[in-house]
Structure formats: structure tokens, C-alpha cells
Amino acid sequence: MIGVLGPCHAKVENLHKRIQPERFNCTEFNLRSFVQTLAVIHTIDTINDSGFLPGIRLGYVICDTCSDANKAIQSTMHMLSINKTLAMECDLTESPSVKVIIGARYSEVSIAVARLLGLYMVPQISTTSSAAILDDKLRFPSFLRTIPSDIHQTRALAQLMAHFDWNWVGVVSGDDDYGRAALQSFLKHAQDLHVCTAFHEILPHYLDHTNSNERINEVVDRIQSSKAQVILLILKGQLVKQLFEVMIRKGISRTWIASDSWSMSRSLATMKGINMIGDIFGFSFITAQNPELKHFLTNLSPGPGAINRFIEEYKDLRFGCSEEVLKHKECLNSQPAAQCSLPDSLKLKSKLACNIADPQNANDDFLTHAVDLSATYSSKVAIWSVVHALRTLLKCNHSICSGERNLPPWKLLQELKKINFTVDKRQFFFDDSGNFANGYDLINWVRRGNERRFEVIGEYDVRKSIVEISTGSIEWGTPNKTIPESKCSESCPPGTFKKISEIYCCYNCSKCEEGTYTNVSNLQNCLICPNTTWSLRGWSKCQQRTEAYFRWNDPIAMALLVITGIGFLLLFSVLIIFVIGRQSVVFRVAGGNLCFVMIAGLMVSFGAVVLFVGKPNNHICKSRQTMYGLGFTLSVSCILVKAFRTFLAFLMDRNQQHMLNKLYKPPVIIVCGTAIQGLICLFWLIFDAPKLEKHISRQSMDIVLQCDEGSNWGFGIMLSYIAFLAAICFILAFKGRKVPQRFNETGYIIFSMIIYLFVWICFTPIYVTKIQPRSAVQASAIVVSNYGIIFCHFVPKCYMILFKKKEDISREAYVNCVRSFSISTMNSVLPDISLDSRKNSVEEVDLSYVRNSLETIDSADSGKNTVDSYVASVTALRWESGLTDIFQYPRSRFRTKTI
């Protein structure tokens, strides 16, 4: 005989008020457990009819546990005492009629029953109790089960969450042994997979607990306030239903993970508003269809000679008539159906209720739709495991079983541990812990109309410890149909790393520093860039640095090159114009042959600008500074000669003029001025030459190729020397600024030197503080300085040569200009003439102007001496001006003014 323990009722009423031994009052008929019990009966009947055990018919006895451990122990003792085999002083080492017990459903109940059955080594096979504690064969030596241990289920749950990157989840569990053990096992596996719990709430396992409703509301509030969007429920189906009712009423939606106890609950899947609750996933024990069971359930009746109170109770609930049914039908006949609410007690009622004479003879297909029949597969396998063990013990063949039939339960237990059989092309056996290693199916609750249907979307292989999921077949309930997120912190994208706080799953995203990177999300540390590569702050990859220099295609470089090219054209044009007009007075006043030297110097200076563009090297670094220094110094030296010449030509103090005239040696000034710069550059190149330098910054991907001017002493001295020459030119020109205007050079010299000094004063701070634009800055300064000389010294002279009338720029015009200047100067000088001045002193002053002016045209440029030919005309000019009487006073002395 096989004993069956099943919770055909969900609870014991008023258990908390029980103060003395009394009969348990079980309430709330449980359809799922009832159908599983019927599946056991159907399998036993099928085996009896098949002749698998020739000459032997299996019997069974079914007792209700009412989902309570105490009631289950009472039922177990009842089964063992059948036929008075368990008297008060009986010895159960004998052979009771019940050889094996199938059940119980809940781990809490199975643990209590297993303690009792282990005492007498009566085998117990559970089809749903998965608590890991039952693996302990010292405490539960006779316990077996046709499902894996919860240690696998909790690992599968943690892997499911890790697969979808749900690392911030809430957990609600029961306060029974199963709930506590499953919780601890899940927390361990979740920690290994970096899944954190946002909260953990406990609900009373007993359904009639006084604080049950209050606790459910508290749990709902906690779920609503939590950031966790994924909630694991390790609860009975009845508790889950109460929780969901409150969630639906408050309109709260989450992603729910079901434990095996309710992962395929049809009553939950069909409850009102279930589609509002959110996505639901769960692991169920491997199932299979049982077509024969459908026929059995639609023609439900106790077997011949059998008494089944549970079938009788079910048919009364389904087809029986009551006053409540009559009132509901009366309401439907008189009012709209929407106004006639259906009480919970009538939810099992058929439309035929009160219309059938004998409810016990009525049948329909309600059970085949109300319960998922595939969940009964484990019950079928449990019976077949017992049958295969009995076949071996009873030594059965195709015609007879010759073994001893009154065998003790402990022998059956030993044989059960050895069996290895096949059902529906699947192999089954118990491992060392007494478990079937047949894994789990991953169930998705798919929306179908107003209810849910169970769809297998993956599986968990116990041997491989891997969850395999068909993600593409999942219909997500999120607005955008994407995987919902449940994280304490948002994912750290590539280029950042997790800066973890006290809880592993809660962190801040910090950008990777320079030289490090992350190329995937949620790394805890940034990776170091390989050799020769680099990354900036917050980068997701490393790259080769790029060389940065003043490239040819740079807009500024192109502009400078165009301007430099125009400068070369201007110099070439000036050269042609000066060659053609080299006999003109304008050319001689401009400096004569010195202009050609200046043009050469400026061309060298412009050539240096070209070397500032493009990829530099050591030779270019040395050449460009030297070319500029020597070329521009040559031009400034020529300007110095012009300024010195003009200063001497119109100097009124004969003594100073005579003394300074000895220093006026144009070739010597030009050669020495340029040679000094040459020595400066030579020593610079020898002791601290410019060289190519690579500037690498942590904040940049560029390798800046820049010419390093060494310690900057050589570069500074070179520029300071040019500035010194320019300052001398400026001073000399400023001293001689009041000269004949038409042929005046001093204004142009002053302006060109101001341009140069201003440009290079601005250049210095920019050059010192900036690195990358140094080449552009210095090249621009050189170009502006060169153009300052071109437009101040050459362009006006070219204009005069090309566009002025010849009589306005002739030698006579120049002499007239000087004569007019002399007269105007004398008018300002006469008041300062003393009475003891010599007579000829004024003449000497006037002659000195003319002589020096003419030397400006002839002596320095053409080599001719025509001063005497102009003396008579100057003397005549004085007499005509009525100045003769003034010069007749003896011992007159002329005092000059400083101009």
C-alpha cells in the first residue's frame, strides 16, 4: 500500500486559538493539490491495469495535511497505524501495510514528516518539497524526492537575475523552515553573482495569522517605495495571491520572480487584474503532458470498492446546490450580471449546480482547465520509481512476482536508492542526496486575454549549473518592449569605472583618468593603455598619439605662406622698379644701393618664415632662427646707415658733425652690425643650439613637435640685438625728424621701427606662455616686421618713382626744398644770434645745410661733389631775403637749437 500526503485544503481554521487536543478543521479546498493527488491515483490504476507487477495490485491511502505540519504528522501516524500496525507499544521494525509515503507538498511539512518516518526508515518521496535541508541524510535518512534540491533552484534564480543584469532586487519570503533556508541559499548565490538585495521582508507562513493582512500591506508599501524593480517571492501561492490583490488595487507593477511553489499556479494566472501586475518568471520542475489524465479527470469517480472523500467534497463544491447559489442565480435573473458579484465560495460552482439530481454522478472538464496538468508529471514519476523498486524486490517477470510480498519498508528504501529507469524517454535515478537531477524549466507568464499562460522559455541544467534562456521569445511588458532595469546605480558606460560604496551594487561612475580606459560597461577598474598608446579622461579606448605641428594645410599656415609669397612678389617688384629708376633722386634719397642689400635681407627673412611651416627637425630648427636673425639684422643695419646719414646731413653743430662724420662708414656699419649678429648665432648654435623637442601632455593626444630654443639665452640675445639696432635707428631718426618733407626718410624709419618693436614686445609673452602656436606666432611677427619695412621704406619710393612728376622729384626740386627748409630754419634761429657773432657765421650755418643736403644726394650715393655750385645761389638767397645787415655786426656768435 502506498500512502499519499497532500494538502487538499489550504489551511487549518483557527489554529492560533487551539489550546487543547481537538480535531483539525481544514478549509479552502486546494484544486492543485487535489489534482496532484488524483494524478497519483490515476498512475496507480494505470500500473495495476498494465500488469507491470504480475499478480499484484497496488493500494493507496490518502490523507490531508491541510498545509500544516502538525496535521501532517497526525495523518502520517494514521497511515502507519492502518490495520493496527501502529499501536501505542508497537514495534515498527515489523512490516506495516503502508510501505512508502508520497508527499508532502510543502517543505515545512515534509521536514516534520521526514523526522518521524526517518525514525522507522519508511521511505518518503516528495514531488515538490525542495528545501536544501532535506539533503541531510543524517537527519532525514528516508527522505527522497523526484525534483532537484533548492540549492539548485536558488542558484538558478540568481543566474536568471544576473543574466538580465538585475542586480538590485527585493525578496519576500515566508517565516517557515523552507522560506528561511531558501532565503539563505539565494543570498549566498546572489552574492557570488554580484546580485544585491534592496530589502528582505518576511510574511507569516500561516494563512490565518492575525497580523497577516497588516504585514502584507507593509510589504506592499516597502515594494512601492523601493528602487528595486524585480521582486523574488519565496511564498505559498495563497500568500502571493493576497499580495497581488493589494498590488493590483494600488496599481503597482514590478517584475516578479516565482519560486517553484507558485511558478505554475493556475489560480494566480487567472485571477482578476493579473495583467496589471507586470512580467512574471519562475522556475518549475521539468514537466510533461499527461494526456490520459485528462480523460480520467473528465470522468472522475472513485475506483471499484474505493472510498474517496476528497472527490465527494469536490463534486459537492462543483455541482452541489446551496442557498448561496440560489440567491446568486436569483440576482442574475433580476439584475445585470455586473451588479451580481460572485462570492469566493461559489468560484468553483458549475452552471449546472442546483440542476443536477445527484452531484456525485456529474462530471465536466473544469479541472483540465483550472490546473496545469503538466505539473503532475513529478507525481507520475514518483509512483513509477516505487513500482520499479518493487519489481526488483518482488523478483517480477512478465508473468509472476516470486519475491516476498510482505517486505519491510527499509528494504524498499534501499532499493529505491539504486533504481535507474526510463519514463517517456527520460532517465531517472536518485543521487547520493536522494534527489532527481532533472533540472528546471524557466517559465514565462505570457499575457493571453485577461489571464496568463505558462510558456517555457529556457531551462536550468543541474549538471552544468547553467541557465539557458531563449531571450528572443520573451514578450516584455515594458512600454518600449525592452528588458526592464533593476539596479541600485545606473550602468557605468565605457570610459568610466565603478566607484563602489558600502554595497557592491551601489556605486558612482567615475571617468577613467588619462592613460587608462574601459571598453565595456561596469568595470571596477580602468585598464592601462598599452605601450605607445594613450587615452584622454573618460575614453573607452586607447589610440596612437598624433604628431602635432604647424602643418601646411593649417589655415593660419596657408595664410602666412600666401602673405609671404606676396611679400616675395613685392620685393621682386621693388627690385625691378629700383633697377629701372636707379638714377633718380628718389632712389638715391631712399638709400641707393643700400636698398638692394635691404631687399636681400628681407628675402632671407621671408625665407625663414617658410621653415616655420611643416614638420620640424633639428636642422630646420637651427636654420630658421639663423636665417631670420641674419636677414633682418642686415636690413636693420642698412636702415641704421640711412638714419645716421640723415642725422648727420642736417646736424647744425659743425663740431659734432665733424666728429660723428668719422663714424659714418656705411659698409663698416652694415658688415659689423651683421657680423655681430652672426657671432651671436654662432655661439648660440655651438653652446645651446635650437633642437627638436616633443611636448607630451597627459591632457592631450598630440605629440607637439616644437623647436626648443635651448635655454632661450641665445634666442633672447639675438632678438635683443635686433631690438637694440632698431632702437638706435629710432633715436637717430627722431633726432633728425625736422628735415625737408618731400624727401624726408626719418618718418618712415620711425614708423617701421615702432612697428617692429611693438610686434616683438607683443610676441614675447605669447611665445613664453604658449607652446603649440609658437611657430605661428613667430612667423606672424616676422611677416609683420618685414611688411613694416616694405611699406615704410620701399612702397612710398616706388610710388614717387612711378606716379610723381619728374620735375617734382628732380635734383632742382630737392635743392629748392632744402633752400626753403634753410630759410624757415634761419627764421627760427635768428632771435638766438648774439651781437658778438662773426659776420660769416650765418653763412656758414646756411652753407652747412646745403652742403650736407647735397651730400645726401651726391656724396653717399653717386660719388659726385657739387656742393660749391650751390653756394652762390644760397648766398644770393640770403641777400634777397634782406638778411645781409644782420651779418655785418662784428664778433657775432651763432647758437644752434637742438632739433
Side-chain angles (χ1 to χ4, degrees):
M1 186 176 291
I2 298 175
V4 181
L5 287 173
C8 292
H9 293 86
K11 67 179 182 179
V12 177
E13 195 172 29
N14 297 322
L15 186 63
H16 58 285
K17 298 180 180 179
R18 191 168 182 259
I19 58 176
Q20 63 182 4
E22 58 186 1
R23 183 182 180 86
F24 291 96
N25 184 23
C26 298
T27 59
E28 295 188 13
F29 195 80
N30 190 317
L31 283 182
R32 181 179 178 184
S33 296
F34 172 60
V35 171
Q36 285 183 332
T37 302
L38 294 178
V40 172
I41 297 173
H42 173 258
T43 304
I44 292 174
D45 290 344
T46 302
I47 293 171
N48 287 337
D49 294 340
S50 68
F52 189 78
L53 297 174
I56 296 178
R57 290 188 65 84
L58 297 175
Y60 58 86
V61 57
I62 301 173
C63 290
D64 191 2
T65 65
C66 301
S67 305
D68 182 73
N70 293 326
K71 180 66 171 68
I73 292 174
Q74 183 192 60
S75 298
T76 303
M77 294 178 68
H78 170 71
M79 285 189 290
L80 294 179
S81 64
I82 290 176
N83 296 329
K84 298 181 180 180
T85 55
L86 183 59
M88 290 299 293
E89 298 178 357
C90 68
D91 183 2
L92 280 185
T93 56
E94 300 176 0
S95 302
S97 297
V98 176
K99 307 298 182 182
V100 61
I101 292 179
I102 306 299
R105 178 179 176 183
Y106 299 114
S107 295
E108 171 83 1
V109 178
S110 292
I111 290 171
V113 172
R115 282 289 197 180
L116 176 61
L117 295 180
L119 179 63
Y120 306 111
M121 298 303 286
V122 177
Q124 174 189 0
I125 304 176
S126 176
T127 61
T128 53
S129 298
S130 56
I133 191 175
L134 291 168
D135 285 340
D136 188 349
K137 294 308 160 192
L138 291 176
R139 288 187 285 177
F140 312 103
S142 64
F143 180 81
L144 303 171
R145 52 188 166 194
T146 58
I147 56 173
S149 167
D150 248 354
I151 192 172
H152 299 292
Q153 181 184 193
T154 53
R155 183 185 290 118
L157 291 170
Q159 285 192 18
L160 171 65
M161 296 172 183
H163 176 84
F164 291 113
D165 200 21
W166 296 329
N167 63 8
W168 192 242
V169 300
V171 182
V172 183
S173 63
D175 62 354
D176 58 332
D177 290 342
Y178 168 74
R180 287 188 289 269
L183 173 65
Q184 295 304 318
S185 179
F186 169 76
L187 294 178
K188 177 182 179 300
H189 294 305
Q191 184 178 8
D192 294 340
L193 295 174
H194 306 306
V195 176
C196 304
T197 53
F199 63 87
H200 170 228
E201 293 291 336
I202 297 176
L203 287 177
H205 175 72
Y206 176 52
L207 297 179
D208 235 5
H209 196 280
T210 53
N211 295 328
S212 182
N213 291 333
E214 181 181 350
R215 282 294 298 138
I216 287 175
N217 286 317
E218 290 175 355
V219 169
V220 170
D221 292 340
R222 182 65 184 275
I223 292 172
Q224 186 176 18
S225 63
S226 174
K227 189 178 179 182
Q229 298 298 307
V230 175
I231 311 297
L232 170 62
L233 300 180
I234 309 175
L235 299 170
K236 286 181 178 180
Q238 294 87 343
L239 283 173
V240 174
K241 185 175 182 179
Q242 295 178 25
L243 183 68
F244 277 4
E245 287 173 349
V246 179
M247 298 291 291
I248 293 170
R249 190 166 61 249
K250 292 190 174 183
I252 302 172
S253 175
R254 293 291 187 271
T255 299
W256 307 93
I257 308 298
S259 62
D260 62 83
S261 61
W262 66 277
S263 61
M264 297 187 71
S265 173
R266 185 61 62 85
S267 62
L268 286 174
T270 57
M271 69 180 292
K272 185 178 180 181
I274 188 63
N275 286 338
M276 300 170 56
I277 209 72
D279 293 314
I280 303 175
F281 299 90
F283 283 99
S284 173
F285 311 118
I286 289 180
T287 60
Q289 296 300 322
N290 193 351
E292 295 82 4
L293 181 60
K294 284 187 177 182
H295 182 267
F296 177 77
L297 296 177
T298 54
N299 298 278
L300 191 59
S301 64
I307 299 174
N308 196 321
R309 303 298 183 190
F310 301 112
I311 294 178
E312 293 176 4
E313 183 179 357
Y314 164 72
K315 289 197 173 186
D316 281 337
L317 289 172
R318 178 68 179 161
F319 304 106
C321 187
S322 65
E323 185 178 350
E324 206 171 13
V325 175
L326 294 174
K327 287 183 178 180
H328 183 67
K329 285 189 174 184
E330 184 180 348
C331 178
L332 291 175
N333 293 331
S334 61
Q335 298 181 14
Q339 297 182 7
C340 299
S341 59
L342 184 66
D344 291 340
S345 59
L346 299 183
K347 288 184 178 179
L348 290 180
K349 287 297 181 181
S350 168
K351 293 181 180 179
L352 300 176
C354 297
N355 295 326
I356 299 175
D358 186 2
Q360 298 301 319
N361 294 326
N363 275 303
D364 60 9
D365 61 352
F366 173 72
L367 290 176
T368 62
H369 299 295
V371 178
D372 185 6
L373 301 185
S374 63
T376 64
Y377 186 72
S378 57
S379 298
K380 174 182 176 180
V381 174
I383 298 302
W384 275 106
S385 66
V386 173
V387 171
H388 278 85
L390 287 173
R391 184 179 176 87
T392 302
L393 286 174
L394 297 177
K395 301 176 183 179
C396 298
N397 54 30
H398 295 293
S399 59
I400 192 172
C401 294
S402 59
E404 182 183 355
R405 298 190 179 189
N406 193 21
L407 53 89
W410 63 268
K411 285 188 177 182
L412 179 60
L413 176 62
Q414 296 305 312
E415 193 59 37
L416 281 169
K417 294 179 180 180
K418 300 176 186 177
I419 61 167
N420 192 326
F421 63 99
T422 302
V423 176
D424 300 328
K425 298 181 180 180
R426 293 182 179 178
Q427 188 176 17
F428 298 97
F429 61 91
F430 293 103
D431 60 17
D432 294 337
S433 298
N435 307 319
F436 271 10
N438 51 357
Y440 297 90
D441 286 332
L442 177 58
I443 307 299
N444 179 24
W445 290 36
V446 181
R447 294 170 176 83
R448 291 292 181 269
N450 294 325
E451 57 185 41
R452 301 289 183 99
R453 290 288 181 266
F454 307 129
E455 184 176 303
V456 177
I457 60 169
E459 63 179 7
Y460 176 79
D461 192 323
V462 172
R463 298 179 184 87
K464 296 179 182 177
S465 298
I466 296 175
V467 172
E468 297 178 355
I469 304 174
S470 177
T471 308
S473 62
I474 301 176
E475 298 179 6
W476 296 103
T478 52
N480 52 2
K481 304 300 181 182
T482 57
I483 300 174
E485 291 189 353
S486 184
K487 299 178 180 179
C488 178
S489 303
E490 295 296 326
S491 295
C492 290
T496 62
F497 70 99
K498 295 193 297 187
K499 195 171 183 180
I500 299 174
S501 58
E502 296 180 359
I503 303 175
Y504 177 85
C505 301
C506 300
Y507 48 81
N508 294 320
C509 296
S510 299
K511 290 184 178 181
C512 292
E513 296 297 327
E514 294 85 355
T516 61
Y517 72 103
T518 54
N519 53 4
V520 295
S521 301
N522 293 329
L523 286 185
Q524 294 187 35
N525 296 294
C526 296
L527 307 175
I528 298 176
C529 287
N531 292 335
T532 72
T533 62
W534 194 252
S535 66
L536 296 182
R537 191 169 185 267
W539 274 27
S540 60
K541 61 181 179 180
C542 296
Q543 296 179 357
Q544 294 288 340
R545 288 182 184 267
T546 56
E547 292 182 340
Y549 50 86
F550 202 29
R551 296 182 180 273
W552 295 96
N553 58 355
D554 188 287
I556 298 177
M558 295 171 67
L560 285 173
L561 290 174
V562 171
I563 295 172
T564 301
I566 295 173
F568 275 114
L569 292 176
L570 287 175
L571 290 175
F572 186 70
S573 301
V574 170
L575 178 64
I576 294 174
I577 293 171
F578 280 0
V579 169
I580 295 174
R582 62 183 179 277
Q583 299 300 327
S584 66
V585 176
V586 175
F587 174 71
R588 292 173 183 173
V589 172
N593 294 328
L594 292 180
C595 294
F596 299 127
V597 180
M598 288 176 64
I599 290 172
L602 291 177
M603 284 191 171
V604 173
S605 183
F606 271 127
V609 174
V610 179
L611 297 182
F612 281 88
V613 184
K615 186 176 181 179
N617 55 46
N618 289 331
H619 299 296
I620 291 177
C621 292
K622 296 174 183 178
S623 301
R624 69 186 192 181
Q625 298 294 0
T626 305
M627 287 177 63
Y628 164 68
L630 294 177
F632 202 78
T633 300
L634 181 62
S635 298
V636 175
S637 298
C638 293
I639 295 173
L640 177 61
V641 170
K642 292 172 62 177
F644 194 25
R645 181 194 65 188
T646 304
F647 176 75
L648 289 177
F650 295 95
L651 186 64
M652 295 176 61
D653 192 327
R654 294 293 302 274
N655 294 327
Q656 288 184 11
Q657 183 189 57
H658 178 73
M659 193 167 59
L660 293 176
N661 196 47
K662 296 178 181 179
L663 300 176
Y664 181 67
K665 307 292 182 184
V668 176
I669 293 173
I670 294 171
V671 171
C672 291
T674 307
I676 292 172
Q677 185 68 284
L679 289 175
I680 293 173
C681 292
L682 179 63
F683 284 113
W684 182 17
L685 294 176
I686 293 174
F687 295 106
D688 196 9
K691 58 184 178 295
L692 178 64
E693 186 180 48
K694 296 181 179 180
H695 295 275
I696 299 176
S697 172
R698 291 181 59 86
Q699 289 76 33
S700 173
M701 288 297 294
D702 293 334
I703 301 176
V704 181
L705 301 182
Q706 185 71 51
C707 288
D708 180 23
E709 316 305 344
S711 63
N712 290 324
W713 280 103
F715 185 50
I717 293 173
M718 181 194 78
L719 294 180
S720 299
Y721 179 70
I722 299 175
F724 173 71
L725 295 180
I728 294 176
C729 293
F730 175 81
I731 294 172
L732 292 176
F734 188 80
K735 287 284 188 180
R737 67 187 183 281
K738 293 184 179 181
V739 296
Q741 293 301 316
R742 181 172 295 180
F743 301 94
N744 188 2
E745 283 286 302
T746 57
Y748 298 126
I749 295 173
I750 291 172
F751 192 62
S752 64
M753 292 303 101
I754 287 176
I755 291 175
Y756 169 79
L757 293 173
F758 176 78
V759 167
W760 287 93
I761 288 173
C762 295
F763 157 79
T764 302
I766 299 175
Y767 185 87
V768 171
T769 57
K770 303 292 183 181
I771 295 178
Q772 189 164 351
R774 280 183 175 179
S775 295
V777 170
Q778 188 174 358
S780 300
I782 293 173
V783 168
V784 173
S785 301
N786 290 350
Y787 269 90
I789 293 176
I790 291 174
F791 282 98
C792 291
H793 291 269
F794 297 145
V795 172
K797 300 301 181 285
C798 292
Y799 174 78
M800 294 176 69
I801 293 174
L802 295 175
F803 300 106
K804 286 289 185 179
K805 296 179 181 180
K806 290 186 179 180
E807 54 269 20
D808 291 338
I809 57 174
S810 63
R811 186 182 188 85
E812 290 75 12
Y814 181 78
V815 172
N816 291 334
C817 181
V818 173
R819 183 180 297 112
S820 299
F821 178 77
S822 299
I823 294 172
S824 61
T825 303
M826 292 308 299
N827 289 335
S828 62
V829 169
L830 285 176
D832 294 326
I833 299 177
S834 60
L835 294 176
D836 59 347
S837 300
R838 292 190 306 246
K839 179 181 180 179
N840 295 331
S841 61
V842 178
E843 296 178 6
E844 292 171 358
V845 172
D846 192 49
L847 287 175
S848 67
Y849 275 109
V850 177
R851 185 184 297 109
N852 294 340
S853 303
L854 295 176
E855 285 176 357
T856 301
I857 303 175
D858 294 325
S859 302
D861 303 324
S862 59
K864 297 177 183 178
N865 190 358
T866 57
V867 176
D868 294 337
S869 62
Y870 288 91
V871 173
S873 46
V874 172
T875 305
L877 178 62
R878 287 177 181 150
W879 285 106
E880 291 172 3
S881 303
L883 301 175
T884 306
D885 295 337
I886 299 174
F887 298 114
Q888 305 215 348
Y889 291 100
R891 300 181 59 86
S892 63
R893 182 167 54 85
F894 179 77
R895 271 187 328 195
T896 62
K897 279 187 178 181
T898 302
I899 300 175

